[in-house]
Amino acid sequence: MEYALVTGGSRGIGRAVAMRLAQDGMPVVINYKSNTAAAEETRAAIEAAGGRCELLPFDTSDPKAIEAAVEQWEAQHADDYISVLVNNAGIRQDNILVFMTDEQWHSVIDTTLNGFFYLTRRVVKGMMTKRKGRIVNVVSLSGLKGMPGQTNYSAAKAAVIGATKALAQEVAPRKVTVNAVAPGFIATDMTKDLDEGELKKLIPAGRFGKPEEVAALVGFLASKEAAYITGQVVSINGGLYT
Ligand code: NAP
């Protein structure tokens, strides 16, 4: 059986993506770091809607934890494989560069960029063997345009964009697609400290986006219909200039 694995699937965009993929008929594996209550809530919502869901907590910045979790999942799923991987887990640790600490720099790079590398390397093997797979990386407007106060985050997201384009070319012959979605401002816990009233004046659409809107795009890129789209970065930002 084919499964979808969504990192950072307990809350926000990841939760909406997990719910969307489950609604589209895939059994979903939800990764998260520590918020078990939120992950259980997401699982309950998926199951209440008739979907199938499992939880697989690990820290995307910890390669040993990734290896142990995927190995354990595979041991319990001898006949299954992960055919859709959504690399969505991410954090913000904003500061202007001149005051940025080593911890702020490394935690963002490790969670987003190194997490992408370790997990994708582990999971893409199965997709290549089966000659079928979808990888969708959730990046950001910040990785395309650069945002002051986010050199760490912009660098991590820009690096994942480069990796998306390179990996797409490596695995296209094996019928695996690799794309990125680049949201602007989406209403989640990550943006709840921002002044939405002020920021929405800058957005042509006049509002923050909804996690479900990003999930619909990820759902399409993960679908059969998107077989000929690869190596792309699709912005979803209400018309913000990138
Ligand atoms: P969010 O509401 O803060 O949720 C973050 C999710 O990531 C949670 O499920 C969290 O798990 C998980 N996570 C964080 N660090 C992790 C780690 N080290 N290992 C495993 N899971 C980890 O964030 P969001 O707004 O939905 O953002 C999702 C993605 O979209 C991120 O990559 C973010 O950079 C990107 N994005 C967001 C926006 C926006 O405006 N919201 C815009 C552009 C891009 P726990 O519940 O266990 O903490």
Side-chain angles (χ1 to χ4, degrees), residues 45-72:
I46 288 173
E47 289 176 349
R52 277 168 299 169
C53 178
E54 297 172 13
L55 304 186
L56 193 65
F58 57 81
D59 181 343
T60 58
S61 68
D62 180 347
K64 288 200 178 89
I66 290 176
E67 182 56 37
V70 176
E71 205 169 290
Q72 182 203 338

Side-chain angles (χ1 to χ4, degrees), residues 172-206:
R174 298 286 183 128
K175 298 187 167 51
V176 178
T177 68
V178 190
N179 291 291
V181 301
F185 294 102
I186 308 298
T188 68
D189 290 346
M190 186 177 272
T191 50
K192 70 180 178 207
D193 62 330
L194 302 181
D195 185 347
E196 185 172 346
E198 274 307 304
L199 285 167
K200 71 184 186 187
K201 294 179 193 158
L202 307 172
I203 304 170

